[in-house]
């Protein structure tokens, strides 16, 4: 068994290994290819502006481990065509379906990118152009393979003219229309041929040669060679699907509903998760993954061990259905906490409405498990992972809980990721993530950015001011964008765009999003008026950052719109991942 995995960055170790393996296969299969050409692969993926193509690597990966082949697709975003640069299989893995699966996946991606078509070069099967019968037989086998997909050489041009007269095996330019009915126009072909020759071969192809080839396209529409090889079956159509490895990993807190407080108008209720699941399950964007159990050390690397132990002990000691609320806050002598556990709650809490009860610890502990499980999936090659959890976490500080939050799941995951490179935590909850700020305030390897209601009028009131920029080594690595009580969607998007610029300047390896949906119109805890369209735009903006991204659910309490806003956010996020919404089933709005 194997899977085809999409690689769009060289950030996480599994992708670095995939790129290195692709380079190894290139060396094995293309002995005449220069070392410089092979070594540029990581930069091709990392720096599309330099090469004027967006490079996407697809690898055929055995489920037991080991890459057996790869395909490198180049997307000319400005001219809307795709070019298959390489497709190659390890010599010891041929004949096992890897090539067909890779080419099918490349075709699908090209269609999702709304390309004019897929172009590539293939060595000729004409005795005049390929004199060695052994090589010519190999060329014919490749052309036969592509022909069954409908891909055939363009005729009526001099593209296959050798750069040096007398050279053997000059390549055909092959065109795959991806099953579309539209034909390739002459002017399109000229523009595309010029782009291929200039962008790929500009250093070796003289301008006069390029002009000659480009001007030789006369037919309009362009003609393809008639099918030469008999097929036992019709052409293979492009099948557009959302592959499991490309989907958003979804890890749901399966113990969230044990934490159900019905008193004091407690809005952080189990129906929140059900509302979100009901809507996002209408799509095909998610791959469900059960939560794994992680050691408590992951939590105590971020939270004070004494707070952890207190929280665990007091919750286990409370009778079922009984909640304790802090009411004494010993700020005058915090070094000597009260002996009575229920009174000591205020020693570790920042407000009077976050309860302790028998199940609070269990639910919060499981939320961290979910976030870490999603994080591990990122490191296995997934681009997006979503921890759909409650209770939330971004108000939980090193040694204090509050704001319905007990453990800071996003901070725990961010700290874990920081061992592999720089991390950004982008908090888009309506309320300032005081806990995340406090945890990373003195660090320069984790950039914390928060867009939130101004603390003059929004919880938690004591933090989130613009001048709070970090301390010591962390000076300048905490950025707050407090916003007024009433703002438009346009104002919000402008501010988010400014935050994205800060993220790009920081050049992190990972992005963690604290996803609050309480910025929505009508939310009982906020004052803003973001609409479903706004949430989709937020998703697109975050997706465009292009980093492996963990999303951790925080607030959002209007269950009438909560699910729809979540779905639209993820549709926007995923649209950017595949560049356009082809293949994403549109959900009919009620």
């Amino acid at each position: 068994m194997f899977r085809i995995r999409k690689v769009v960055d060289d950030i996480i170790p599994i992708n670095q290994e995939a790129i290195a393996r692709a380079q190894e296969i290139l060396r094995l299969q293309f002995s005449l290819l220069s070392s410089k050409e092979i070594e540029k692969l990581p930069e091709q993926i990392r720096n599309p502006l330099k090469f004027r193509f967006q490079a996407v690597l697809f690898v055929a990966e055995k489920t037991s481990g080991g890459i057996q082949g790869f395909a490198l697709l180049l997307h000319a975003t400005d001219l809307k065509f795709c070019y298959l640069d390489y497709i190659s299989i390890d010599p010891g893995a041929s004949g096992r379906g890897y090539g067909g699966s890779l080419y099918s996946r490349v075709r699908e991606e090209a269609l999702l990118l709304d390309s004019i078509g897929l172009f590539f070069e293939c060595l000729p099967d004409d005795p005049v152009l390929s004199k060695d019968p052994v090589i010519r037989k190999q060329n014919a086998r490749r052309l036969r393979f592509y022909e069954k997909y409908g891909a055939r050489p363009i005729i009526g041009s001099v593209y296959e003219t050798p750069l040096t007269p007398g050279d053997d095996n000059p390549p055909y330019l092959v065109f795959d229309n991806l099953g579309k009915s539209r034909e390739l126009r002459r002017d399109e072909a000229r523009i595309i041929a010029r782009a291929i020759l200039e962008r790929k071969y500009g250093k070796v192809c003289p301008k006069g040669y390029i002009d000659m080839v480009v001007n030789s396209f006369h037919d309009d529409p362009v003609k393809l060679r008639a099918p030469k090889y008999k097929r036992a079956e019709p052409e293979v159509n492009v099948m557009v699907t959302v592959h499991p490895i490309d989907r958003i990993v979804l890890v749901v807190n399966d113990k969230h509903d044990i934490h159900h407080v019905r008193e004091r108008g407690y809005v952080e209720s189990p129906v929140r998760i059900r509302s979100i699941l009901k809507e996002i399950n209408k799509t095909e964007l998610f791959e469900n993954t059960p939560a794994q159990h992680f050691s408590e050390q992951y939590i105590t690397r971020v939270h004070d061990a004494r707070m952890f132990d207190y929280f665990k002990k007091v919750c286990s000691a409370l009778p079922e259905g009984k909640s304790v609320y802090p009411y004494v806050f010993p700020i005058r002598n915090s070094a000597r906490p009260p002996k009575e556990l229920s009174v000591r709650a205020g020693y570790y809490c920042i407000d009077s409405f976050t309860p302790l009860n028998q199940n609070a610890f269990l639910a919060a502990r499981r939320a961290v498990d979910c976030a870490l499980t999603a994080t591990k999936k990122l490191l296995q090659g997934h681009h997006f992972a979503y921890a759909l959890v409650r209770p939330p976490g971004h108000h939980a500080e090193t040694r204090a809980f509050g704001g319905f939050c007990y453990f800071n799941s996003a901070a725990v995951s961010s700290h874990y990721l920081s061992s592999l490179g720089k991390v950004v935590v982008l908090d888009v909850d309506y309320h300032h993530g005081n806990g995340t700020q406090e945890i990373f305030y003195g660090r320069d390897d984790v950039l914390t950015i928060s867009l939130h209601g101004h603390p003059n009028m929004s919880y938690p009131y004591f933090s989130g001011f613009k001048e709070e920029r970090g301390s010591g080594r962390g000076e300048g690595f905490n950025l707050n964008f407090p916003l007024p009580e009433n703002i438009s969607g346009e104002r919000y998007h402008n501010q988010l765009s400014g935050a994205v610029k800060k993220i790009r300047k920081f050049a992190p390896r990972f992005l963690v999003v604290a996803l609050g949906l309480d910025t929505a119109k009508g939310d009982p805890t906020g004052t803003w008026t973001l609409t479903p369209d706004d949430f989709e735009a937020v998703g697109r903006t975050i997706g465009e950052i292009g980093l492996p991204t963990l999303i951790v659910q925080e607030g959002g309490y209007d269950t009438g719109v909560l699910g729809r806003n979540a779905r639209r956010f993820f549709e926007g996020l995923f649209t950017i991942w595949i560049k356009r919404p082809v293949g994403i089933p549109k959900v009919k709005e009620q």
Side-chain angles (χ1 to χ4, degrees), residues 268-286:
E268 206 291 287
S269 61
V271 70
R272 299 176 60 239
I273 302 299
R274 294 195 292 269
S275 299
I276 292 174
L277 279 175
K278 180 180 178 182
E279 283 293 322
I280 65 175
N281 283 340
K282 294 177 181 178
T283 75
E284 296 179 1
L285 306 185
F286 294 88

Side-chain angles (χ1 to χ4, degrees), residues 59-186:
V59 293
E61 190 172 57
K62 293 173 70 173
T63 51
S64 58
I67 289 168
Q68 307 301 301
F70 77 94
L72 181 64
L73 181 68
L74 306 181
H75 178 217
T77 56
D78 54 340
L79 301 179
K80 297 187 71 174
F81 77 91
C82 285
Y83 181 85
L84 179 58
D85 203 5
Y86 296 104
I87 184 167
S88 188
I89 309 301
D90 184 274
S94 60
R96 300 179 187 176
Y98 297 121
S101 297
L102 282 165
Y103 188 66
S104 295
R105 183 64 183 88
V106 163
R107 295 183 84 216
E108 180 181 331
E109 188 75 8
L111 187 64
L112 290 171
L113 293 168
D114 197 26
S115 299
I116 292 169
L118 177 63
F119 296 80
F120 54 93
E121 294 177 343
C122 199
L123 298 183
D125 54 359
D126 184 341
V128 176
L129 300 173
S130 181
K131 297 180 175 59
D132 186 323
V134 175
I135 295 175
R136 189 166 67 249
K137 186 177 180 180
Q138 294 173 350
N139 299 347
R141 187 166 60 247
R142 293 189 188 97
L143 286 162
R144 182 186 297 114
F145 168 80
Y146 291 122
E147 190 176 287
K148 73 179 182 180
Y149 292 91
R152 289 175 278 144
I154 293 173
I155 60 173
S157 79
V158 298
Y159 191 92
E160 57 270 21
T161 301
L163 186 60
T164 302
D167 278 358
D168 200 25
N169 283 291
Y172 295 138
L173 181 62
V174 181
F175 175 63
D176 185 339
N177 72 355
L178 307 173
K180 296 180 181 180
S181 58
R182 76 183 292 272
E183 296 177 292
L184 179 64
R185 310 307 303 190
R186 178 189 61 205

Side-chain angles (χ1 to χ4, degrees), residues 121 154 156-163 171 173 186 189-197 205-218:
E121 294 177 343
I154 293 173
S157 79
V158 298
Y159 191 92
E160 57 270 21
T161 301
L163 186 60
L173 181 62
R186 178 189 61 205
R190 286 180 172 179
I191 291 170
I192 290 168
R194 182 177 294 280
I196 292 170
L197 294 173
C205 286
K207 182 179 183 301
Y209 175 88
I210 294 174
D211 290 341
M212 176 196 70
V213 172
V214 169
N215 293 331
S216 71
F217 287 85
H218 295 297

